[in-house]
Amino acid sequence: MRRATIAVSLVAALVLLTVTVATAHFKKYATTATITLEGSPSGDSFKGKVNSNLSKCEKRQVLVYRQSALVGQTRSDSTGAWELSLGGKFASPGKYTAKVLRKKLQRSGHRHICKSTVSPEFKVGGGGP
């Protein structure tokens, strides 16, 4: 009977330890993003920055929208910097945002989520549709 009690206690302790360790290794990281227009006179590329407390969260997929229409997509580098060329065309008037997609990081039992975010609006020209 004593061996059974010890075995049950050990199993319960291992389960509790596993749950505690798994919980301790899951974290969500907030992200912010910026967007600006580059080039003269009307701008022919967008640039921006992805920022996070976890540096691995800064290399991400970035989508640029004009209102709800996708303009294009690119990836930020390991420092969070990104650029989207408009292929020699100039940006149409409107409100633009950069959406940074959610990213999962998982290694050796560590689970981290880099949260998605949308930059503040950047207005080009008259701001119409």
Side-chain angles (χ1 to χ4, degrees):
M1 183 70 167
R2 181 173 161 86
R3 284 185 184 171
T5 303
I6 292 172
V8 168
S9 296
L10 285 174
V11 168
L14 284 173
V15 168
L16 182 60
L17 179 63
T18 302
V19 169
T20 303
V21 168
T23 303
H25 287 92
F26 177 75
K27 189 165 183 179
K28 292 182 180 183
Y29 292 89
T31 303
T32 60
T34 62
I35 182 172
T36 59
L37 186 62
E38 299 290 321
S40 309
S42 300
D44 60 0
S45 66
F46 286 99
K47 290 185 179 182
K49 182 98 166 111
V50 176
N51 296 298
S52 177
N53 289 337
L54 182 65
S55 62
K56 291 181 181 180
C57 285
E58 292 178 348
K59 188 173 184 178
R60 307 271 281 282
Q61 188 73 24
V62 179
L63 288 75
V64 175
Y65 289 91
R66 179 178 169 261
Q67 278 77 285
S68 59
L70 180 65
V71 173
Q73 60 184 339
T74 188
R75 290 193 65 80
S76 57
D77 65 18
S78 61
T79 68
W82 62 269
E83 181 176 2
L84 177 68
S85 172
L86 298 175
K89 298 179 183 177
F90 296 111
S92 301
K95 295 177 183 176
Y96 291 82
T97 55
K99 180 177 183 178
V100 180
L101 299 183
R102 180 176 182 248
K103 180 178 178 180
K104 293 180 187 179
L105 301 172
Q106 190 162 353
R107 289 193 189 123
S108 305
H110 297 267
R111 288 183 25 215
H112 301 289
I113 300 293
C114 307
K115 292 182 176 181
S116 66
T117 192
V118 177
S119 71
E121 288 183 343
F122 182 85
K123 187 176 177 182
V124 174

